[in-house]
Amino acid sequence: MFISNNISLENLKNFKRIGIGFSGGLDSCVLLHSLSVSFQDTSKLVAIHINHGISKDSDLWEKKCKDIAGDLNIPFYTKKLNFKDSNVSEDTLREARYKAFEEWAQEGDLICTAHHKDDQLETIFFRLMRGTGIEGLKGIPVWRKVSGLSYFRPFLSFSKKELFEYAVLNNIKWTEDESNLDVKFSRNFIRNSVFPLLLKFWPRFGKSLLFLSKEALHSQSILDEISKNDLESCRLRSSEELSVQKVNSFSYQRIRNLLYRWLSESSSVSLSVKQMEEIINLITQKQESSDHVILISSKDNNNSHDLRMFKRVLYLLPKEYC
């Protein structure tokens, strides 16, 4: 069973402030309570509530969250997003929440979220259904840094059932969001319809999925080690220049692995399989002096680069828009 002592404060003491993603649901209430018990000085903690504005009860939930934080002597911060369309996608809502976290944060801050083992299983399965590689099978990391902001998920080794038992034992009150039962959302469909059926026929399904994730983590670590060494051997005057001749000395699989690492380090652009094939075809051709350009962009086109090959050198250049 989860207890507040399961959270190691040694990992948290060097952060200036610790923002706690606080929706008022069971998971985040347990997180807020357990951290309030663990910290002698709760002024370092901040309950961050994102009011999506979708439900008719959104403002009521915000008030309840503020009251709960106040009872625990934890400062409260809220951000209202005012989504008008209740059909807004899960991806859009998640991106809005993380943007709100970044707006709140300052240098040296940490964000804690209450993702648990059941969330991990849903994430891995959802990525499998949508299509993913080894990187996606790793699932949700315990620690992650995005745009300079650190995130920590201390509950990933604990199940929803264990958090529920903690809440009951400590008389914690939480809010049930009715949208969690709406199967038009992919994760709700997986949680409420797919997983119960799978577990009925394969009781060890969850353990098997977590084993797959662990193996993916090991495999990705090896790929990362190889790509790091390969990339260093191919770099020229700067990190944005690669020797096409040296890249071409590797197998197709290692070129692909190397390019993914190079582009992820130098930009936030996510390549499609088609784009990757186009780049590899460009590298492996025999023309020496012709100038070739491939435009690679993020989905929203806010981050675009020219990948240019000239005289057997591969350049990654930010594309400026007027």
Side-chain angles (χ1 to χ4, degrees):
M1 176 179 164
F2 171 77
I3 57 175
S4 58
N5 289 341
N6 289 137
I7 298 179
S8 173
L9 300 185
E10 188 66 26
N11 294 325
L12 309 182
K13 65 181 183 180
N14 293 327
F15 292 96
K16 292 180 180 178
R17 297 183 303 168
I18 299 173
I20 304 163
F22 185 48
S23 67
L26 167 66
D27 311 335
S28 63
C29 281
V30 170
L31 179 60
L32 195 73
H33 182 275
S34 58
L35 286 174
S36 72
V37 171
S38 301
F39 276 84
Q40 292 182 342
D41 180 13
T42 56
S43 64
K44 188 174 184 177
L45 306 176
V46 180
I48 303 177
H49 178 75
I50 312 300
N51 184 340
H52 298 102
I54 295 176
S55 172
K56 58 182 176 58
D57 297 320
S58 293
D59 292 338
L60 177 61
W61 294 342
E62 179 182 320
K63 183 181 183 306
K64 286 183 178 180
C65 287
K66 184 177 182 180
D67 292 342
I68 293 171
D71 290 341
L72 295 172
N73 198 31
I74 294 176
F76 183 77
Y77 170 88
T78 186
K79 173 74 174 181
K80 195 160 187 175
L81 301 179
N82 287 318
F83 281 106
K84 302 299 181 184
D85 185 4
S86 60
N87 292 319
V88 63
S89 73
E90 295 168 271
D91 288 343
T92 299
L93 291 173
R94 183 178 62 255
E95 289 170 5
R97 286 196 296 273
Y98 280 88
K99 183 178 179 182
F101 288 147
E102 291 174 12
E103 290 175 355
W104 168 82
Q106 301 171 4
E107 187 176 352
D109 290 342
L110 172 71
I111 297 291
C112 283
T113 62
H115 293 89
H116 48 72
K117 187 186 293 185
D118 297 47
D119 293 322
Q120 182 74 289
L121 291 172
E122 291 165 14
T123 296
I124 297 167
F125 187 84
F126 178 61
R127 290 177 180 175
L128 274 171
M129 295 302 98
R130 193 166 57 176
T132 188
I134 291 178
E135 181 72 30
L137 289 177
K138 287 164 51 180
I140 307 169
V142 176
W143 286 91
R144 189 185 181 197
K145 202 163 190 175
V146 182
S147 302
L149 178 59
S150 295
Y151 291 86
F152 178 47
R153 286 95 172 197
F155 289 171
L156 285 180
S157 59
F158 299 97
S159 67
K160 180 91 169 184
K161 182 176 180 291
E162 290 174 294
L163 301 186
F164 175 79
E165 291 170 349
Y166 177 93
V168 172
L169 182 65
N170 291 277
N171 197 30
I172 295 172
K173 306 300 180 184
W174 65 89
T175 300
E176 292 289 355
D177 184 348
E178 73 276 3
S179 69
N180 288 333
L181 299 176
D182 190 347
V183 293
K184 74 181 179 185
F185 293 110
S186 300
R187 289 182 181 274
N188 290 344
F189 176 68
I190 292 171
R191 181 186 310 128
N192 299 317
S193 300
V194 177
F195 275 10
L197 186 60
L198 287 173
L199 290 169
K200 181 180 178 180
F201 286 91
W202 295 282
R204 293 181 57 84
F205 165 74
K207 291 183 179 179
S208 298
L209 208 55
L210 290 175
F211 176 78
L212 175 64
S213 176
K214 186 177 180 181
E215 289 299 298
L217 179 62
H218 292 326
S219 297
Q220 188 62 54
S221 297
I222 295 171
L223 291 173
D224 288 343
E225 186 176 335
I226 293 171
S227 65
K228 180 182 178 182
N229 293 334
D230 288 351
L231 191 55
E232 287 303 316
S233 70
C234 295
R235 277 190 169 128
L236 296 174
R237 292 166 296 181
S238 75
S239 60
E240 285 75 37
E241 299 179 19
L242 297 183
S243 165
V244 172
Q245 181 180 358
K246 290 183 179 179
V247 172
N248 229 345
S249 66
F250 298 128
S251 66
Y252 168 86
Q253 289 79 9
R254 283 176 69 172
I255 293 175
R256 195 169 182 263
N257 190 41
L258 180 157
L259 289 175
Y260 271 123
R261 183 183 186 95
W262 182 48
L263 294 171
S264 66
E265 284 186 358
S266 304
S267 70
S268 59
V269 171
S270 180
L271 286 185
S272 66
V273 173
K274 184 178 180 180
Q275 285 177 313
M276 179 58 75
E277 294 293 337
E278 186 180 0
I279 294 170
I280 293 177
N281 287 337
L282 175 65
I283 291 171
T284 55
Q285 66 181 338
K286 302 301 182 182
Q287 294 173 326
E288 295 291 332
S289 60
S290 56
D291 186 4
H292 294 270
V293 179
I294 297 175
L295 175 65
I296 52 177
S297 306
S298 57
K299 289 182 180 179
D300 57 10
N301 289 320
N302 288 330
N303 182 20
S304 299
H305 288 71
D306 276 343
L307 193 143
R308 181 182 298 265
M309 188 179 78
F310 182 69
K311 292 186 177 179
R312 308 305 285 169
V313 175
L314 202 62
Y315 302 90
L316 185 65
L317 306 171
K319 187 168 183 61
E320 302 294 336
Y321 287 95
C322 298

